[in-house]
Amino acid sequence: MRILMVTSFPIVGQTDGTAMLAVQVFRALKRRGLDVAHAYLKLRRPWDVPFEGEFEGSPSFTLTPSRWISGMAEIRKRFPFDLVHAEHYGGATRALAACELHKWPMIYSIHSLLGEEVERDKLGRGLVFRTYRTLERRVCRYASGVVVLGHGVKKIVVEEKGVPSDRVAVIHPGVNLADYAPGPAAEIPGIGPEHKVVMYVGNIRDPNQGVPILLDSFPRVAEAVPEARCVLVGGPSEVGEAYRQQLGRFGDRLIVLTGKTPDEITALTRRADVLVHSRLACRENDSVQTKMAVYLASGRPIVATNYGDYQHLLGDTGAGLLTPVDSDALADGIIEVITDANLASRLAAATRPAAEEYICMDRNVDRYLALYETALRLGPRRRSSKAEATA
């Protein structure tokens, strides 16, 4: 089986969560022995010429808008792929025309819900949102299969986007657990052996991530545990400075680390006394984010707000302490974990079995292959003219 992974973002040299999700899938498929190539369907700088390079020994093509259709056809001649695996709504909507024209099966991997992300700062949403929404509806009518990152997203995709349930697979973000072998913890400026590290990893600006809830909870944590320090691993840096001002007299206990590579993040998590994700209860968080794969793989105690699949991944497995979406409740949970060694040990011990079951890429790839085989057997979806008219 040959797979062409299509993205709307580069993957060479990228370390953000969106790109790393695609990279982990790409690598896992290759480890399983599949032939995989990559196509970056670029939107900006449309006057650039197409480019052929490589990513970790596999072909990687960059196509400008004028070549999204003809360029993919040329790739097909040189790399006769069996199906297109489109990452995120950007990759899926840009690859749609070529797939429809040539009747190539497409797998659409949904990172996050389109309606919750695009132009969220515009009242009523603008032209970009409306265009993406129209194209994504066509993708959902066409796609041979859909990958979602949470059971809540599957419900929305089935009930609101009209994709048959048997064509939707819940596959949580995964990592290669071999990359998280025991090793030394990274040194953090301003952190000594006496400090208790409350750590968050990921984007610190987007409101759905709930970092402000963590910051609101921290003064109470700091008063109860004076040696507590809050470490945010992510950016942008100017947001971190605003958070430091917000903490007032506790601002000097906040450390923000930006621009870290995946290997550096792995070493940093080893220093965490507790990893925290205080995400909000909103539709955008129906998708489990890549950070939870990193958290589970790290083997450290986890405190998270109780929403969506976190009950499934953390509560049912015993791998995390769940709290309501509330700063006081979150503070109580953090204090309990960093002051109760037995509880912290139990949570940490439960992370490995949960990681092996839900976020191990070598296991997740079986789930992808099952969906691929279904997609190839059933082919792209078809609708009668009557059904199209009704839609």
Side-chain angles (χ1 to χ4, degrees):
M1 188 185 302
R2 287 188 163 191
I3 309 298
L4 177 67
M5 177 177 285
V6 176
T7 66
S8 58
F9 46 83
I11 62 174
V12 179
Q14 301 300 303
T15 60
D16 66 276
T18 298
M20 287 307 299
L21 176 55
V23 168
Q24 289 289 351
V25 175
F26 192 97
R27 289 171 175 168
L29 293 172
K30 288 187 62 177
R31 287 197 299 271
R32 190 57 63 88
L34 276 70
D35 287 333
V36 191
H38 169 246
Y40 166 32
L41 303 188
K42 182 179 183 179
L43 180 61
R44 295 183 180 179
R45 297 179 62 87
W47 55 85
D48 285 349
V49 297
F51 173 76
E52 179 179 349
E54 62 90 26
F55 175 67
E56 299 183 353
S58 295
S60 180
F61 305 89
T62 299
L63 302 177
T64 54
S66 64
R67 298 295 304 277
W68 286 355
I69 297 176
S70 61
M72 286 184 65
E74 181 63 29
I75 292 172
R76 182 64 153 66
K77 293 177 182 177
R78 299 167 60 181
F79 180 82
F81 52 84
D82 297 295
L83 62 80
V84 172
H85 177 126
E87 289 282 332
H88 213 9
Y89 57 80
T93 55
R94 295 176 191 183
L96 176 64
C99 289
E100 286 183 326
L101 177 65
H102 298 286
K103 298 180 174 57
W104 297 327
M106 174 196 285
I107 296 296
Y108 172 27
S109 182
I110 299 178
H111 291 206
S112 58
L113 288 167
L114 168 64
E116 307 301 321
E117 181 168 303
V118 176
E119 291 186 333
R120 69 173 115 197
D121 58 332
K122 292 187 178 182
L123 183 63
R125 305 299 174 93
L127 178 62
V128 173
F129 170 75
R130 294 196 298 272
T131 301
Y132 268 127
R133 182 176 60 184
T134 299
L135 289 173
E136 197 213 26
R137 285 174 176 169
R138 285 177 53 188
V139 169
C140 289
R141 290 197 295 267
Y142 179 84
S144 304
V146 176
V147 176
V148 296
L149 306 181
H151 290 86
V153 183
K154 179 172 182 176
K155 186 173 187 292
I156 292 168
V157 168
V158 172
E159 295 181 358
E160 299 181 17
K161 299 180 184 289
V163 181
S165 179
D166 62 352
R167 296 221 186 200
V168 184
V170 178
I171 307 177
H172 295 111
V175 294
N176 181 12
L177 293 183
D179 295 337
Y180 290 82
E187 292 187 4
I188 301 174
I191 298 295
E194 74 280 8
H195 291 130
K196 298 290 187 180
V197 175
V198 179
M199 184 178 291
Y200 166 88
V201 177
N203 187 300
I204 67 174
R205 176 172 53 193
D206 290 348
N208 68 299
Q209 300 293 341
V211 176
I213 296 178
L214 171 58
L215 271 293
D216 286 345
S217 75
F218 186 69
R220 184 170 172 178
V221 174
E223 288 177 343
V225 186
E227 63 272 24
R229 297 294 183 270
C230 184
V231 177
L232 305 180
V233 183
S237 57
E238 62 271 16
V239 177
E241 183 56 36
Y243 285 149
R244 190 172 288 108
Q245 297 299 319
Q246 175 186 326
L247 283 173
R249 65 188 180 94
F250 296 108
D252 61 349
R253 303 188 192 186
L254 174 65
I255 297 167
V256 181
L257 305 174
T258 63
K260 299 302 179 183
T261 67
D263 287 344
E264 290 171 329
I265 290 172
T266 299
L268 285 166
T269 58
R270 297 189 186 114
R271 181 60 186 87
D273 291 281
V274 59
L275 291 164
V276 180
H277 192 198
S278 50
R279 65 179 188 165
L280 304 182
C282 59
R283 277 168 56 113
E284 189 171 354
N285 284 336
D286 283 336
S287 288
V288 174
Q289 288 135 357
T290 305
K291 67 169 59 59
M292 189 46 59
V294 173
Y295 281 20
L296 285 170
S298 73
R300 305 304 301 145
I302 300 169
V303 172
T305 47
N306 190 5
Y307 181 76
D309 279 21
Y310 279 9
Q311 177 61 50
H312 182 59
L313 295 174
L314 301 177
D316 294 346
T317 63
L321 178 65
L322 298 177
T323 79
V325 186
D326 174 80
S327 59
D328 287 342
L330 184 72
D332 290 341
I334 294 171
I335 293 167
E336 185 177 2
V337 170
I338 61 178
T339 59
D340 186 337
N342 290 331
L343 172 61
S345 179
R346 287 199 306 273
L347 294 174
T351 58
R352 186 69 185 194
E356 290 174 348
E357 176 63 27
Y358 296 112
I359 58 92
C360 173
M361 274 309 310
D362 288 335
R363 179 166 292 189
N364 276 359
V365 76
D366 292 329
R367 300 174 174 118
Y368 281 102
L369 292 176
L371 187 63
Y372 292 167
E373 290 167 2
T374 299
L376 291 174
R377 184 178 75 253
L378 298 178
R381 292 176 60 205
R382 296 290 186 267
R383 282 195 168 197
S384 66
S385 57
K386 180 179 179 180
E388 289 285 0
T390 302

